[in-house]
Amino acid sequence: MPLYDSARVAAALPGYTLGDPLGVGASGLVIAGWHHGLQRDVAVKILHRAPDRPAAGFATEARLLAGLDHPHVVRVYDFVEKDDFSLLVMEKLSGGTLRSRQPTLTPPAACAVGLATSAALAYAHTRGVLHRDIKPDNILFDSAGLPKVADFGIARAVNDSGPATSTVIGTPLYMAPEQLAGGRLRPATDVYALGVVLYEMLTGVHPADQGQLAGDESGPPAPPDVPHRLAVVLAGALARDPLERTGSAHAFAFDLARAAALEFGSDWLSRSGMSIQVDHELLVTAALVPPGALTSSVGAGSGGGPP
């Protein structure tokens, strides 16, 4: 039995040729596509609505996501509604996932991806959007190696996330304690998930493998073989109490950039082998580049909004 009705989806997107499935995310199936008018590859996410979920809710979220314009966020091109399903048309990324790159990732490269992801989250948070499902499979790379945060399909407006959420959605191994408990979500919830991802990228193991589960009473474990300053950054992101956790993705980005510069040298970003675009002011403040220098001199692009 097919995972989706290909004929119905094709009828809803007459200007596209649809291809093979690319994967299944937390919010729906993703298939390849080709836009005839623009002559470009796309990815189409098929979102099946629950009977009690009005179509207007999907349209509101789609407009919210389409308004996100950041170099480290996957772009949304189109949105189509049909009966019991909706379609999000997004840019297609061909560089694989962070999960697939993990075996060859160096510590500076892992920190660079963490910096890019925190910049993307900070940008989304300032526009009132929480991701709620940050994990290695949702950080993808384009053909040039630029990392991008994908699968905002279960994202939620910050103001709609408290005082409590009615449904626990996400990937349990990367969910903060308050998210697992169905409590109030905030930017620190995404910071926790990013902390888990970075812990995994730097150590090769998940915090749960070291005895740290979100439901445990113990504090974050000391990550094995991680430089001290980076371990402190991870501890701040993995605090169980969101009020004691690094409270914003912007603060996490600064802490991470500063720690990496102190551990690996001020030119760590240019030597990481990663192409990222983060705010120049952040790099200057974190002492990664001297005032007045071009951001590109450390291997990062300029622009892309605040981190």
Side-chain angles (χ1 to χ4, degrees):
M1 183 175 181
L3 293 174
Y4 68 101
D5 188 329
S6 58
R8 291 179 65 203
V9 174
L13 295 172
Y16 298 80
T17 294
L18 302 181
D20 297 327
L22 297 175
V24 179
S27 56
L29 175 71
V30 181
I31 60 176
W34 172 259
H35 190 286
H36 296 292
L38 297 178
Q39 294 287 291
R40 68 180 173 194
D41 290 311
V42 297
V44 179
K45 174 168 286 189
I46 304 168
L47 303 164
H48 290 280
R49 294 194 299 271
D52 60 345
R53 179 74 185 274
F58 274 89
T60 299
E61 290 180 6
R63 284 193 293 270
L64 197 65
L65 300 181
L68 298 181
D69 184 11
H70 189 274
H72 294 298
V73 175
V74 174
R75 296 293 304 274
V76 173
Y77 296 138
D78 199 2
F79 175 72
V80 177
E81 292 181 296
K82 283 293 181 180
D83 303 323
D84 61 340
F85 67 91
S86 302
L87 304 171
L88 272 176
V89 181
M90 308 168 292
E91 68 174 310
K92 183 182 177 184
L93 302 178
S94 58
T97 67
L98 180 58
R99 175 81 66 195
S100 67
R101 293 188 176 216
Q102 180 177 350
T104 59
L105 213 61
T106 65
C111 290
V113 175
L115 187 58
T117 304
S118 58
L121 290 175
Y123 171 85
H125 293 165
T126 60
R127 283 148 183 81
V129 179
L130 296 177
H131 189 282
R132 301 199 297 167
D133 197 26
I134 292 296
K135 58 184 178 181
D137 297 303
N138 283 341
I139 300 172
L140 285 71
F141 295 82
D142 66 11
S143 58
L146 192 72
K148 299 198 176 197
V149 178
D151 205 358
F152 272 88
I154 68 167
R156 187 166 186 168
V158 173
N159 292 336
D160 292 337
S161 299
T165 57
S166 58
T167 305
V168 177
I169 301 176
T171 305
L173 282 175
Y174 299 91
M175 289 166 67
E178 67 272 16
Q179 189 174 5
L180 281 170
R184 183 176 183 271
L185 307 187
R186 60 193 82 199
T189 305
D190 281 342
V191 170
Y192 182 96
L194 179 54
V196 175
V197 169
L198 187 58
Y199 185 109
E200 196 172 4
M201 294 304 108
L202 288 172
T203 68
V205 297
H206 189 278
D209 298 330
Q210 301 297 305
Q212 168 68 14
L213 291 170
D216 289 346
E217 294 300 324
S218 59
D225 303 322
V226 172
H228 172 70
R229 294 179 182 87
L230 290 176
V232 171
V233 173
L234 292 177
L238 293 174
R240 283 183 45 77
D241 185 343
L243 297 180
E244 296 179 359
R245 193 180 306 148
T246 304
S248 72
H250 179 89
F252 180 86
F254 173 82
D255 291 346
L256 177 60
R258 182 64 173 163
L262 292 172
E263 295 291 355
F264 305 128
S266 61
D267 61 343
W268 74 274
L269 193 52
S270 63
R271 293 186 291 104
S272 71
M274 284 291 168
S275 173
I276 73 169
Q277 299 180 32
V278 296
D279 187 67
H280 177 73
E281 182 180 354
L282 168 72
L283 299 180
V284 172
T285 306
L288 287 173
V289 294
L294 293 176
T295 309
S296 59
S297 68
V298 295
S302 60

